[in-house]
Amino acid sequence: MQYGFFDDEAREYVITRPDTPYPWINYLGCDQFYGLFSNTSGGYCFYQDARMLRLTRYRYNNVPTDGGGRYFYLRDNSRDGADVWTPSWMPMKSALDRYECRHGLGYSRISSALNGLTFTQTSFVPIKDNCEIHKIVLTNESNATKNVDMFSFVEFCLWNAFDDMTNFQRNYSIGEVEAEGPRIYHKTEYRERRNHYAVWAVNVPVAGFDTDRESFLGLYNGFDHPDTVFAGKANNSLASGWAPIGSHHIKVELAPGQSKAFVFVLGYCENPEDQKWASPGIINKAPANAMLEKYNSPEAADKALTALNDYWTALLGRFTVSADDKNMARMAGVWNQYQCMVTFNMSRSASYFESGIGRGMGFRDSNQDLLGFVHLVPERARARILDIAATQFPDGSAYHQYQPLTKRGNNEVGTGFNDDPLWLICGVAAYIKETGNYDILEEQVPFDNNEELADSLFVHLKRSFDYTLTHSGPHRLPLIGRADWNDCLNLNCFSKTPGESFQTTANYESGIAESLMIASLFVFIGPDYAEICRRTGRTEEAERADKAVIAMIEAIKEHGWDGNWFLRAYDAMGKKIGSSECEDGQIFIESNGFAVMAGIGLDDGRARKALDSVKEQLDTKYGIVLLQPAYKEYHVELGEVSSYPPGYKENAGIFCHNNPWVTIAETQLGRGTRAFETYTKICPAYREDDSKLRRLEPYVYAQMVAGKDAQNFGEAKNSWLTGTAAWAFVSISQYILGVRPVFDGLLIDPCIPASMKGFSVTRHFRNAYYHITVNNTAGVEKGVASVSLDGKSLDGIVLPVLGDGRTHEVVVTMGAK
Ligand code: BGC
Ligand code: NOJ
């Protein structure tokens, strides 16, 4: 069943009914200020950090779901009994005559109608300004004059979102506001240690306002029954403690056919310490005035929206696809890249599954996310790399997470995830291949955020590489530490205490447990590291790296092969994990996908065997599950992986993040049909008709889809903030469509289903655009017969760096050479 459709022309997903199987959200903002925005106007906004500087309150895990947003209430006085409704459907679940929500790139538009009154809400965060704009248009489509009361509503969060939902003995006494007609200011804690306030304003005069929640709603009412709206009159309440809100009351008269537009702004303002006050107790409104001045008319709001559209057009113009397969084209060309930008901005902090108060930026997550946006924002990717590297320890290990505001490593989580260091090499290699800028290697970067320990980024990479080599176990394979990519394989944590963190508890430091995933990751990034060394004159180091990679491949072949697939790990007792000898967890996806992706076993048939086993044992109609058979019991020696019910999360869920590794691995074998099949299975657009079961947004990837052992097989969870976005984009753009940045240029090596007759891609690469048309009338899966560049035939399949700011025509003919 469908709840909407893709409008490809407009680059929008159009939701046609409000009761989606879960709130389907969008992200507003692309710089410092962000809003989460659901299809019924739910969500919240924050400045820079979703925990520390949250402007509006949101109730996670609330009933009904999606509790809190920027709400508008309408009251039509011309109707008998004065009808009251919420035109965004929630929170009143109003029966509307018409409803539509369009999620676009950085903006959303909800339109609805009831009894001849139409409502349109266009919501976005303008480029470079720290506010949400909500432009409202009311139109009277009836034959009679309408007298309407419109009420706005936002509920302020007392800034620190964690305190806000826990520390009530203090919070109920600290709320402070100021109100000047259409401008409502939230200034809790401004008197003492804060120099920022929020403003919620509208560009027209108001009939009244409210700033106190109880006065507006009534103590025993929910958002679905505000007494004030039903009474049709605001109270001009001034919050003092309790729960500060912002609500405007606007009286609107509309002649038949008439439209009126209103611009609401919800903004974040900061003052220098010595300019906080206009007069004693009255905040300095200069920054708010400047912001509101800028957006004081519908035309100004429209102009800001056009600028936002231009921003996205330019950004996504760096990689576009045209193909017969509409789902592939719209995902690879638009939505997948859009999601990659959201992971760049949010990391894993704020979504409808991440509360914004928990996790900081992950060392491994951020390096992988970068693979999906480095072609869009290379300079910001560079800055991100330097931030990440600065949290590395001098011995090459890394803080697992760091805080975006302070950019410091997070002590609570600490270190010991032994895959972390290698992902830095992966990220830096991707940056260099994209930009050709080797100078990043010479940047001086602190270790452990300590300037005195600074050394070149190259030294950071070397320590990363060496960390794996100096932490190897009895089978010459890398020690796993607290966990590797799979956060739930906690082989050195034997946890029997409820509530204890599997990731940070180390109560069984075996010094023995080894990971085949890290081993393969090492083989995957090793050649890039060696190449970087060679190209920067570090020949000896390059040779040393080559040898280390060969030795690792040997160790994997000797101790990491189970007969039909690659093992996953050795536990703290030296027992195999991911082996046919095991009762459960006989085969895992990660080590197999990654090993073949790294090219291991391509020479001796093991690669093919491993992928065939993955297909036989792990494949399902919704994607490849993480392991089989699912763990049915808790294994203290394995950790969190066995704590999930069978079919969920790491315990045999379809953990989408690692499916693209198999896709890429399949392209190594040249199996284009199978590669494309694994790509489409987890790609949300292909499951649009199945939205009732899948439940989450058809335009973004989810972290997990319940596996075949789960009761809700096929149901997705944790949309938006997942490494799936980056890897899915890498798999489709670089390996299936085959347009891949390499050190010397742009490699073109598609691997597609034989039935795909061709496609075209426009790719920005090192200051030039390449318009690449691939022709597969030969009906092959892989192999390039000829390439022409600007009409001249090219030797080989690597497009040279042209760097002239122009667009170049490339024609690729697939087939036998
Ligand atoms: C989840 C993992 C996640 C980890 C983060 C676990 O509960 O299953 O997917 O990476 O928490 O700390
Ligand atoms: C989500 C985490 O963010 C990521 O770092 C990890 O690799 C996966 N879960 C798998 O456990």
Side-chain angles (χ1 to χ4, degrees):
M1 181 170 168
Q2 291 197 7
Y3 293 79
F5 60 91
F6 287 91
D7 180 342
D8 293 317
E9 193 66 22
R11 294 180 308 195
E12 291 172 337
Y13 192 83
V14 188
I15 300 166
T16 49
R17 47 188 290 178
D19 57 340
T20 45
Y22 207 72
W24 286 3
I25 74 163
N26 193 12
Y27 283 84
L28 317 180
C30 42
D31 192 21
Q32 308 266 358
F33 190 93
Y34 295 100
L36 281 69
F37 190 90
S38 77
N39 59 310
T40 59
S41 203
Y44 61 94
C45 58
F46 61 91
Y47 175 69
Q48 285 188 342
D49 183 310
R51 171 169 177 162
M52 304 306 285
L53 292 171
R54 194 178 296 195
L55 272 80
T56 52
R57 196 170 269 167
Y58 186 77
R59 291 171 177 75
Y60 278 89
N61 201 14
N62 196 32
V63 281
T65 192
D66 205 10
R70 319 82 179 147
Y71 293 139
F72 296 90
Y73 298 86
L74 295 175
R75 181 174 185 277
D76 186 348
N77 288 308
S78 7
R79 306 262 311 162
D80 290 346
D83 282 352
V84 171
W85 74 97
T86 40
S88 58
W89 191 61
M90 283 292 271
M92 289 179 68
K93 293 211 274 181
S94 306
L96 302 164
D97 292 340
R98 229 169 49 220
Y99 160 91
E100 178 185 278
C101 171
R102 290 179 169 258
H103 285 320
L105 307 178
Y107 67 90
S108 293
R109 179 174 294 127
I110 295 177
S111 323
S112 70
L114 187 64
N115 299 328
L117 184 67
T118 69
F119 165 94
T120 309
Q121 171 184 354
T122 307
S123 301
F124 63 99
V125 171
I127 299 210
K128 301 274 174 222
D129 271 307
N130 299 323
C131 61
E132 282 185 353
I133 293 180
H134 303 274
K135 181 186 151 197
I136 306 296
V137 180
L138 295 178
T139 307
N140 181 1
E141 287 184 344
S142 77
N143 300 324
T145 296
K146 280 191 181 286
N147 279 301
V148 178
D149 293 298
M150 174 161 66
F151 291 85
S152 75
F153 175 83
V154 298
E155 183 180 14
F156 294 110
C157 175
L158 307 182
W159 298 112
N160 179 329
F162 184 76
D163 264 21
D164 186 69
M165 60 181 201
T166 46
N167 194 6
F168 302 106
Q169 60 78 27
R170 171 175 163 81
N171 293 346
Y172 286 163
S173 294
I174 63 174
E176 289 189 279
V177 296
E178 281 178 38
E180 289 176 353
R183 298 183 176 184
I184 293 167
Y185 301 90
H186 174 230
K187 59 170 188 177
T188 299
E189 290 190 338
Y190 186 79
R191 277 189 306 117
E192 337 90 59
R193 294 177 296 174
R194 296 184 183 276
N195 64 343
H196 43 262
Y197 58 84
V199 59
W200 174 227
V202 60
N203 69 328
V204 296
V206 293
F209 63 84
D210 273 291
T211 66
D212 173 61
R213 190 181 72 201
E214 275 174 35
S215 309
F216 179 74
L217 293 177
L219 178 60
Y220 290 99
N221 293 346
F223 299 137
D224 61 339
H225 197 98
D227 282 344
T228 304
V229 178
F230 281 87
K233 190 167 168 23
N235 315 290
N236 296 345
S237 60
L238 282 174
S240 176
W242 298 109
I245 60 151
S247 172
H248 305 98
H249 175 199
I250 303 170
K251 288 194 168 296
V252 192
E253 187 181 287
L254 291 166
Q258 193 182 7
S259 276
K260 282 190 182 163
F262 309 85
V263 183
F264 289 85
V265 174
L266 177 57
Y268 169 90
C269 302
E270 232 173 61
N271 275 321
E273 207 43 51
D274 57 349
Q275 292 168 34
K276 281 174 69 172
W277 305 103
S279 58
I282 303 298
I283 56 180
N284 172 4
K285 316 250 170 32
N289 290 341
M291 179 188 281
L292 297 174
E293 205 48 49
K294 211 164 154 188
Y295 303 111
N296 65 354
S297 69
E299 295 72 31
D302 292 346
K303 213 172 121 209
L305 183 59
T306 305
L308 183 67
N309 283 332
D310 293 347
Y311 163 85
W312 280 107
T313 301
L315 201 62
L316 298 191
R318 294 167 79 98
F319 184 91
T320 63
V321 188
S322 113
D324 291 339
D325 187 322
K326 292 270 165 294
N327 284 326
M328 190 266 281
R330 58 173 60 120
M331 287 304 300
V334 180
W335 294 96
N336 191 174
Q337 294 183 81
Y338 182 57
Q339 185 177 359
C340 287
M341 283 307 292
V342 172
T343 63
F344 167 66
N345 291 324
M346 296 292 127
S347 188
R348 302 294 174 271
S349 69
S351 74
Y352 268 28
F353 298 88
E354 301 279 6
S355 64
I357 61 173
R359 302 208 259 162
M361 315 269 300
F363 194 95
R364 80 157 83 88
D365 289 339
S366 299
N367 276 301
Q368 290 173 82
D369 291 348
L370 192 134
L371 306 177
F373 61 73
V374 64
H375 69 297
L376 297 174
V377 285
E379 285 316 302
R380 294 172 83 183
R382 180 186 178 111
R384 176 68 53 86
I385 287 173
L386 299 177
D387 285 350
I388 300 170
T391 66
Q392 190 174 23
F393 287 103
D395 72 349
S397 64
Y399 275 112
H400 191 52
Q401 289 173 9
Y402 70 99
Q403 293 307 324
L405 273 187
T406 62
K407 298 193 175 159
R408 296 198 159 264
N410 185 342
N411 272 319
E412 279 164 36
V413 184
T415 176
F417 298 76
N418 285 355
D419 63 318
D420 273 336
L422 294 178
W423 293 112
L424 180 64
I425 303 181
C426 185
V428 173
Y431 172 79
I432 293 177
K433 288 179 191 170
E434 183 64 42
T435 62
N437 293 343
Y438 291 87
D439 63 343
I440 192 174
L441 297 170
E442 311 315 322
E443 292 264 10
Q444 289 293 305
V445 186
F447 280 100
D448 195 7
N449 291 107
N450 182 344
E451 291 291 345
E452 283 173 18
L453 301 176
D455 214 323
S456 69
L457 182 64
F458 179 78
V459 169
H460 283 256
L461 300 193
K462 181 169 185 304
R463 301 229 181 125
S464 290
F465 193 77
D466 285 346
Y467 188 83
T468 304
L469 294 177
T470 52
H471 291 75
S472 87
H475 302 94
R476 309 191 313 279
L477 296 166
L479 293 174
I480 193 168
R482 291 189 178 174
D484 57 24
W485 171 87
N486 187 333
D487 271 326
C488 300
L489 212 51
N490 315 115
L491 305 183
N492 296 311
C493 159
F494 284 40
S495 181
K496 290 196 159 169
T497 309
E500 187 168 72
S501 157
F502 287 103
Q503 274 90 37
T504 58
T505 307
N507 58 8
Y508 199 98
E509 296 284 10
S510 67
I512 281 185
E514 296 164 294
S515 160
L516 265 303
M517 159 79 212
I518 303 180
S520 301
L521 175 59
F522 184 82
V523 176
F524 181 71
I525 58 92
D528 279 348
Y529 174 69
E531 197 56 28
I532 287 171
C533 293
R534 248 187 297 281
R535 282 162 187 263
T536 53
R538 296 163 166 113
T539 323
E540 268 177 40
E541 179 64 359
E543 281 165 13
R544 185 181 77 101
D546 285 338
K547 284 194 190 123
V549 169
I550 290 169
M552 189 66 82
I553 295 174
E554 278 166 7
I556 294 172
K557 289 198 169 177
E558 200 179 324
H559 298 292
W561 180 249
D562 195 52
N564 286 307
W565 55 77
F566 291 97
L567 293 175
R568 179 62 178 83
Y570 285 95
D571 73 13
M573 276 71 69
K575 267 179 56 196
K576 291 175 184 168
I577 299 175
S579 159
S580 53
E581 292 168 15
C582 306
E583 193 186 329
D584 289 326
Q586 294 179 346
I587 170 171
F588 283 63
I589 188 174
E590 307 101 300
S591 46
N592 287 290
F594 233 99
V596 182
M597 194 161 96
I600 303 165
L602 288 173
D603 53 348
D604 61 7
R606 295 192 209 194
R608 178 174 294 268
K609 232 181 191 173
L611 293 191
D612 287 346
S613 301
V614 165
K615 185 163 163 37
E616 268 160 39
Q617 316 273 336
L618 301 178
D619 204 18
T620 79
K621 61 176 169 170
Y622 301 124
I624 304 163
V625 298
L626 194 145
L627 59 84
Q628 276 296 293
Y631 292 108
K632 292 181 266 306
E633 279 149 32
Y634 179 54
H635 291 258
V636 74
E637 77 286 6
L638 300 181
E640 187 173 357
V641 66
S642 60
S643 76
Y644 285 112
Y648 288 117
K649 294 281 283 182
E650 281 86 343
N651 188 14
I654 298 157
F655 211 97
C656 300
H657 185 147
N658 48 37
N659 276 234
W661 301 344
V662 173
T663 304
I664 297 169
E666 288 289 355
T667 67
Q668 295 275 32
L669 292 179
R671 302 202 290 202
T673 305
R674 172 67 182 150
F676 198 69
E677 181 191 41
T678 59
Y679 166 74
T680 56
K681 278 186 178 175
I682 61 154
C683 183
Y686 292 89
R687 286 195 62 198
E688 200 187 5
D689 291 343
D690 195 19
S691 288
K692 202 171 162 61
L693 170 61
R694 186 176 184 275
R695 297 191 67 191
L696 301 187
E697 299 93 334
Y699 43 91
V700 284
Y701 287 90
Q703 182 203 57
M704 198 249 335
V705 172
K708 58 185 174 183
D709 302 286
Q711 180 179 312
N712 304 329
F713 177 39
E715 181 188 73
K717 288 199 187 108
N718 306 353
S719 51
W720 286 97
L721 305 184
T722 161
T724 315
W727 278 108
F729 184 69
V730 170
S731 75
I732 185 69
S733 64
Q734 299 191 18
Y735 290 90
I736 293 179
L737 302 179
V739 179
R740 178 154 81 248
V742 292
F743 290 107
D744 285 328
L746 197 57
L747 176 97
I748 315 289
D749 189 17
C751 182
I752 56 179
S755 58
M756 193 185 279
K757 291 294 161 248
F759 61 88
S760 66
V761 161
T762 301
R763 175 65 151 90
H764 177 272
F765 182 67
R766 301 194 204 171
N767 196 31
Y769 284 87
Y770 298 80
H771 178 244
I772 304 157
T773 308
V774 175
N775 173 333
N776 185 30
T777 38
V780 299
E781 292 192 303
K782 193 169 182 167
V784 169
S786 68
V787 180
S788 79
L789 170 63
D790 292 329
K792 293 197 199 87
S793 115
L794 186 82
D795 263 352
I797 54 172
V798 178
L799 303 175
V801 177
L802 297 168
D804 56 6
R806 313 250 293 265
T807 300
H808 298 273
E809 288 301 322
V810 179
V811 179
V812 177
T813 308
M814 292 181 70
K817 185 104 183 130

